[in-house]
Amino acid sequence: AWLSAPFMGAVEQAQEEGREVTLAPTSGDWTPAVRPGQPIRGGELLGRLVDSTGVPQPQHAPAPGTVLHVRHPARVGAGSAVVILAAEM
């Protein structure tokens, strides 16, 4: 899967604004465990990525915050943004 130019711009802007952007560490099938607007704790499960060998790779929140964007369940490429969080204030 590839990111369109507008979405890539949104990821770059989010990073510049200090948002936490979780990227897929490898290609695979992404299944989210959170929804936009949901407050989360640091370490909370964001979703699972199952790689081509069938190994699940849970993705956890690096810090507390609120979910701004979640990638829908889909096949994603390595480096694809799967969750964007707003930092907890």
Side-chain angles (χ1 to χ4, degrees):
W2 54 275
L3 296 175
S4 66
F7 186 77
M8 288 179 68
V11 169
E12 289 170 359
Q13 181 179 353
Q15 290 171 328
E16 288 172 5
E17 293 173 356
R19 309 284 193 224
E20 292 287 345
V21 180
T22 300
L23 303 175
T26 185
S27 296
D29 294 315
W30 166 252
T31 303
V34 295
R35 65 187 185 291
Q38 180 177 341
I40 57 162
R41 299 178 310 276
E44 189 168 337
L45 181 68
L46 298 173
R48 287 186 178 79
L49 184 71
V50 178
D51 68 19
S52 61
T53 64
V55 176
Q57 298 185 19
Q59 302 300 303
H60 298 276
T66 301
V67 178
L68 294 178
H69 167 81
V70 179
R71 179 98 207 233
H72 293 286
R75 182 122 180 103
V76 297
S80 297
V82 291
V83 178
I84 299 175
L85 302 175
E88 185 176 77
M89 298 266 194

